[in-house]
Amino acid sequence: MFPELGQFALILALLLAVLLSVVPLVGSVTGRDNLQAFARPLASGMFVFIAMAFGLLTHAFLTDDFSVAYVANNSNSMLPWFYKFSAVWGGHEGSLLLWILMLSGWTMAVAIFSRRLPTVMISQVLSVLGMVSVGFLLFIIITSNPFDRLLPNVPADGADLNPLLQDIGLIMHPPMLYMGYVGFSVAFAFAIAALINGRLDAAWARWSRPWTTVAWAFLSIGIALGSWWAYYELGWGGWWFWDPVENASLLPWLSGTALMHSLAVTEKRGVFKSWTVLLAIVTFALSLLGTFLVRSGVLTSVHAFASDPERGKFLLMLLAITVIASLTLYAFRAPVVHVRARYGSLSREIFLLLNNVLLVSATLLVAIGTLYPLVLDYLEMGKLSIGEPFFNLTFSPLAVAAGLLLGAGIFSRWKKTDGGWLGRKLLWPLAVSILASTAVVIGYGGFKPWAFAGVFAAMWVTVATLWDLWDKSSSRKGRLHGLKRQSRSYWGMILGHLGLAMVMAGATVVSNYGIERDVRMTPGDVATVGDYQFVFTDIGERRGQNFTAQYGGFDVMLDGEKVAELHPEKRQYSVGMSVMTEADIDAGLFRDIFVAIGERLTEDAWAIRLQYKPLVRWLWLGALVMAIGGFLAISDKRYRIRDRADERVPQSTRPAGGVKGEAEALS
Amino acid sequence: MHPIRKKRLTIVLFLLAGIGVAVALTTYALRQNINLFYDPSQIAAGEAPRDVRIRAGGMVEEGSVIRDPDSLKVEFRVTDFNSSVPVEYTGILPDLFAEGQGVVAMGKLDGQGRFVADQVLAKHDENYMPPEVADALEKASKAQPKAGETAQSPSY
């Protein structure tokens, strides 16, 4: 009976979502407070019922209720309980339910944490979120019901969770990613609400900022987790493949990064408003596009589960409605906004504008590379794929340019920056970065132009960021006092940029100086990779809870001393009869040693992949540092202080940058 | 010119310059990195270009896999049950590579009509078939509608 309750809960949630998308909006337009007062209770109710549905599906998994088709397809009684739990989002229907749970969670969070927002604004924001929920609830109820039953022929046991997904990285990856995707719906809702009532002001930008930043932080973690998982589980040591599915998550990240920066300008200086709104719409549309690409079956990958054309059509329709409706609204309302603030041709505004140009160009590039083959295929103009070199060739120069710009932009001032002063300011950081990156590149085994460019960009960002921190923290009461005086949003920015530098350094060094060797080995053989010797000691059998494995032994030697003992496996899962390669990695801050077993070639010979991966961890650590920066920035007390200010001035019409304290945060 | 207009003009110019650079880079990079897909029949008919990186796919012919005893070199034939193409590859094959299963290989055709692959992709799980392969097989079975040969067409 529980599964039917779950379905019932979803239908109730849909009804509440329909009410939420209509009632408060009508109230806000007609000025009837009693209708607007429904916004928060409806948002809470929707969340409760969706959470109930999610809880019931989880219950079905944990109790092995194989009468539910989705459970039977994605779980098995032999699975350990935590994989049964994560199997809830291991397939299409459940991951969609997770998506919706996140959406209603975000809606609820907006309802809770925006107590001080003007009623009109909050009603409209929640209504827009309600509309998005209606779309997705319809989608799940009509095309992808997770509670469908297999009655009366209940299978004795389930078909098992895809072994690729039986992993801690995969327990965490989808929830984080969805938090990011769905989080951008809040920025979108704020933008639409601002367009509806024509109030694209600094207050709107300030309300949107923390939501955008936190969504961006989650998305960063989600992408990093996916890359990390691919590295040790799927990719034989590769960490980014420019696979359409990866690109689908990178697209909203890139435009979301642009949005974060342009929101800063809109809040501080009251400019770029129309642009910022457009970015908010585009970022959410790209999140939807990502969901469409991954869930519709147009792409073939681990992510594309059952490819049911109906689902693809439905998602495409949702995407089309969202884009067309919001762009129409934009076309009618955006020109209303006038820009009054002035800024010079060398100013922080211009640097951030260039940052946006680069990020949007990168978004376009990745979008073209991802969508072009799909469109051609759809038009039956031939099947083709666009290789990694395309992305590496086009994306890297933009990334390096963004890094160079960032280092210079950090010192720039709002309104006007003196060119000569900026030049003198940059001289020392430039000298230090050139020396340091030359040393790094030579230390890693030789000068390569692209390696130098990447390392230099990372070094330049790091040096400039720390230099700025040093400048800002000088205080007569001592350095420590100066450091303590910095706001959390400033620290957030510092960490965000340092994290980016770490990602750049990691990506550059591991792609240019990593070593990968595929060799044929029999026990007793020794293979050399860089400075390391790998001794294949033995191979035997091992039993796990739901698999048996070939269990290899390797000693890794450096200068005659054993530095690691690795045990890669080749697993045969008993239920689906599928084979999985489990690499073993000796992880380190400065290098990873990686061994994976390939096929068995003869009775005792195996294909073995051996790798030396310098700085590969910096990719994911950097993303984590970025995300921490994001969380730090939103915990800044200026958001709380200004919340109180809102109570006194509910219809905030303050000019941009009018409140003391905020100007220091970014200038 | 009015200062605000001038500012807008600069912004537009910046945007155009950025987009221009992006488009130039894209077209340049695209021209070199598009990998067209050819099925075994097309390759056998000489439709595929030589020494250009392309993708080829089909089923691994039963009994065609030959391994070199001293290295990771492996040879096999890829077929659409109409024509087949010899493939040569040095490296680790994916876990789900097997005779009678669908694969997609990336590489170049050499002078002897042999496909030298630098990458071999197999399906992710037992239900999945690379769409190019499914397509190629469908095309091949239509091109050869001889009675009595249906038993050969794969079922999945």
Side-chain angles (χ1 to χ4, degrees):
Chain A
M1 198 192 76
F2 282 141
E4 279 69 32
L5 267 182
Q7 191 170 0
F8 188 58
L10 279 182
I11 292 169
L12 280 179
L14 174 65
L15 292 177
L16 291 179
V18 171
L19 288 176
L20 177 63
S21 54
V22 176
V23 175
L25 188 63
V26 170
S28 75
V29 174
T30 57
R32 284 163 67 180
D33 283 349
N34 56 344
L35 292 184
Q36 297 190 50
F38 277 110
R40 286 197 174 94
L42 283 173
S44 315
M46 192 175 80
F47 174 74
V48 168
F49 283 115
I50 291 172
M52 192 196 248
F54 191 83
L56 287 167
L57 187 63
T58 310
H59 177 259
F61 268 94
L62 293 180
T63 55
D64 294 326
D65 184 354
F66 297 122
S67 71
V68 177
Y70 179 69
V71 179
N73 288 332
N74 290 286
S75 186
N76 183 273
S77 55
M78 277 160 76
L79 275 181
W81 72 267
F82 41 91
Y83 290 142
K84 282 182 187 167
F85 177 63
S86 71
V88 174
W89 55 84
H92 168 80
E93 290 88 347
S95 68
L96 196 66
L97 186 58
L98 180 70
W99 212 101
I100 293 174
L101 178 72
M102 301 266 170
L103 180 58
S104 64
W106 278 99
T107 310
M108 177 90 171
V110 173
I112 292 173
F113 293 111
S114 307
R115 291 270 171 218
R116 281 134 190 153
L117 246 61
T119 318
V120 175
M121 190 77 178
I122 192 66
S123 311
Q124 288 171 348
V125 168
L126 289 177
S127 270
V128 174
L129 286 170
M131 292 176 203
V132 179
S133 307
V134 170
F136 276 91
L137 281 166
L138 276 176
F139 180 47
I140 199 170
I141 291 172
I142 294 175
T143 73
S144 336
N145 183 3
F147 296 105
D148 270 349
R149 292 267 209 174
L150 289 172
L151 291 175
N153 301 312
V154 177
D157 207 337
D160 206 6
L161 177 65
N162 185 343
L164 277 174
L165 308 182
Q166 297 183 22
D167 179 87
I168 172 73
L170 249 282
I171 295 183
M172 299 300 299
H173 167 62
M176 290 292 144
L177 203 63
Y178 289 2
M179 280 297 275
Y181 273 180
V182 182
F184 284 130
S185 67
V186 180
F188 169 78
F190 270 104
I192 295 296
L195 281 175
I196 290 174
N197 60 30
R199 277 218 349 246
L200 288 172
D201 49 17
W204 155 71
R206 178 164 48 79
W207 292 322
S208 302
R209 269 186 90 180
W211 297 102
T212 309
T213 309
V214 77
W216 172 89
F218 277 118
L219 188 57
S220 308
I221 295 179
I223 295 175
L225 277 172
S227 155
W228 178 56
W229 170 76
Y231 168 74
Y232 67 77
E233 184 79 33
L234 183 66
W236 295 82
W239 47 272
W240 193 262
F241 300 87
W242 295 108
D243 178 274
V245 171
E246 293 170 322
N247 295 348
S249 66
L250 188 64
L251 286 171
W253 188 86
L254 287 169
S255 72
T257 312
L259 173 63
M260 234 173 25
H261 289 88
S262 91
L263 269 173
V265 187
T266 306
E267 187 201 346
K268 301 294 175 199
R269 304 280 302 129
V271 288
F272 303 174
K273 288 172 185 170
S274 317
W275 173 245
T276 307
V277 174
L278 190 61
L279 269 183
I281 294 172
V282 166
T283 303
F284 182 59
L286 288 173
S287 297
L288 289 184
L289 178 73
T291 314
F292 164 70
L293 286 179
V294 174
R295 287 286 170 258
S296 62
V298 278
L299 301 177
T300 44
S301 78
V302 254
H303 298 77
F305 304 119
S307 32
D308 179 348
E310 282 311 305
R311 291 174 180 166
K313 270 184 214 153
F314 199 108
L315 275 174
L316 202 57
M317 234 168 60
L318 271 185
L319 177 64
I321 291 172
T322 314
V323 171
I324 291 170
S326 43
L327 288 187
T328 310
L329 185 66
Y330 178 78
F332 280 102
R333 305 292 290 191
V336 176
V337 184
H338 292 292
V339 177
R340 257 171 271 110
R342 300 258 177 96
Y343 50 91
S345 48
L346 188 64
S347 60
R348 177 159 281 201
E349 287 90 328
I350 291 295
F351 273 108
L352 286 169
L353 176 69
L354 286 174
N355 146 303
N356 268 240
V357 171
L358 287 176
L359 282 166
V360 170
S361 308
T363 313
L364 272 175
L365 276 177
V366 177
I368 290 171
T370 311
L371 298 178
Y372 185 61
L374 293 177
V375 172
L376 277 196
D377 186 22
Y378 182 76
L379 300 174
E380 305 204 335
M381 286 169 66
K383 285 192 185 294
L384 55 86
S385 71
I386 291 178
E388 285 182 37
F390 164 77
F391 294 101
N392 292 336
L393 198 65
T394 53
F395 194 80
S396 317
L398 287 174
V400 169
L404 299 184
L405 204 66
L406 198 169
I410 263 193
F411 296 111
S412 66
R413 304 254 162 94
W414 294 112
K415 293 183 191 171
K416 193 165 168 18
T417 309
D418 180 54
W421 173 84
L422 186 62
R424 284 192 297 281
K425 191 87 208 157
L426 292 176
L427 212 56
W428 274 111
L430 183 69
V432 172
S433 317
I434 289 179
L435 282 178
S437 36
T438 310
V440 168
V441 171
I442 289 179
Y444 269 112
F447 182 88
K448 298 180 192 173
W450 271 116
F452 179 77
V455 172
F456 173 73
M459 204 60 91
W460 170 243
V461 170
T462 312
V463 172
T465 305
L466 294 178
W467 206 285
D468 187 58
L469 179 64
W470 185 259
D471 282 356
K472 294 244 161 68
S473 63
S474 73
S475 157
R476 263 174 289 135
K477 291 185 198 164
R479 183 66 56 184
L480 198 65
H481 178 261
L483 284 173
K484 272 188 196 153
R485 211 185 49 193
Q486 301 308 315
S487 66
R488 285 201 192 174
S489 57
Y490 179 72
W491 279 111
M493 183 187 84
I494 297 278
L495 286 184
H497 290 161
L498 289 180
L500 175 73
M502 286 175 77
V503 174
M504 283 178 146
T508 310
V509 169
V510 76
S511 345
N512 283 286
Y513 300 106
I515 307 172
E516 175 188 313
R517 277 194 73 193
D518 291 345
V519 287
R520 180 192 178 98
M521 290 179 99
T522 46
D525 281 359
V526 181
T528 306
V529 174
D531 298 336
Y532 295 90
Q533 276 88 44
F534 291 76
V535 186
F536 187 11
T537 52
D538 61 332
I539 188 156
E541 290 235 332
R542 184 175 89 86
R543 290 201 147 271
Q545 195 176 343
N546 51 356
F547 61 85
T548 58
Q550 305 286 338
Y551 185 74
F554 286 82
D555 286 345
V556 184
M557 320 286 284
L558 180 65
D559 301 329
E561 272 182 56
K562 186 158 133 181
V563 290
E565 194 183 315
L566 296 175
H567 296 284
E569 294 178 25
K570 192 111 218 160
R571 289 184 186 170
Q572 282 90 25
Y573 283 82
S574 33
V575 180
M577 292 312 290
S578 46
V579 180
M580 283 286 310
T581 303
E582 291 284 330
D584 200 12
I585 300 167
D586 180 46
L589 187 56
F590 292 100
R591 59 110 188 90
D592 272 18
I593 304 283
F594 180 110
V595 181
I597 306 180
E599 329 118 69
R600 185 173 213 157
L601 301 171
T602 61
E603 195 47 47
D604 52 355
W606 294 77
I608 307 286
R609 170 163 293 187
L610 307 169
Q611 297 190 89
Y612 161 69
K613 294 261 168 194
L615 291 200
V616 68
R617 301 269 138 188
W618 288 36
L619 283 164
W620 311 304
L621 284 178
L624 190 65
V625 170
M626 276 197 249
I628 293 171
F631 290 120
L632 210 57
I634 61 151
S635 72
D636 193 287
K637 61 177 183 286
R638 74 205 181 91
Y639 291 115
R640 297 193 292 271
I641 291 174
R642 314 273 292 310
D643 269 357
R644 256 176 269 134
D646 276 339
E647 267 182 326
R648 293 193 300 272
V649 196
Q651 301 294 319
S652 175
T653 49
R654 268 179 275 113
V659 175
K660 262 195 168 178
E662 78 181 310
E664 283 138 28
L666 254 168
S667 59
Chain B
M1 218 192 298
H2 196 275
I4 289 185
R5 294 240 175 82
K6 203 173 154 191
K7 186 133 310 138
R8 278 194 195 146
L9 194 66
T10 8
I11 292 177
V12 169
L13 284 180
F14 265 132
L15 281 172
L16 283 180
I19 292 167
V21 170
V23 168
L25 275 171
T26 316
T27 37
Y28 171 73
L30 265 181
R31 208 175 299 156
Q32 312 194 321
N33 289 299
I34 283 184
N35 313 121
L36 288 163
F37 179 85
Y38 293 92
D39 58 43
S41 299
Q42 287 172 311
I43 294 174
E47 285 174 37
R50 282 187 185 157
D51 293 321
V52 175
R53 203 151 180 267
I54 57 170
R55 300 204 304 158
M59 309 295 266
V60 181
E61 209 168 83
E62 297 280 353
S64 73
V65 179
I66 304 164
R67 287 182 194 282
D68 183 273
D70 303 312
S71 69
L72 290 177
K73 200 165 123 183
V74 56
E75 290 173 4
F76 54 89
R77 297 185 72 85
V78 164
T79 178
D80 57 4
F81 302 104
N82 204 346
S83 314
S84 73
V85 177
V87 179
E88 187 188 301
Y89 172 70
T90 303
I92 297 179
L93 289 164
D95 288 336
L96 291 162
F97 176 92
E99 292 182 354
Q101 300 284 6
V103 286
V104 173
M106 188 96 90
K108 292 175 182 173
L109 271 178
D110 70 1
Q112 286 89 50
R114 185 200 299 268
F115 191 80
V116 183
D118 50 50
Q119 201 182 8
V120 173
L121 307 166
K123 53 186 193 165
H124 280 296
D125 61 54
E126 55 273 26
N127 305 317
Y128 166 71
M129 164 70 62
E132 293 95 336
V133 174
D135 231 44
L137 293 176
E138 197 184 320
K139 238 172 39 191
S141 68
K142 272 185 203 151
Q144 196 189 35
K146 285 180 212 155
E149 292 214 355
T150 42
Q152 227 189 25
S153 75
S155 58
Y156 26 75

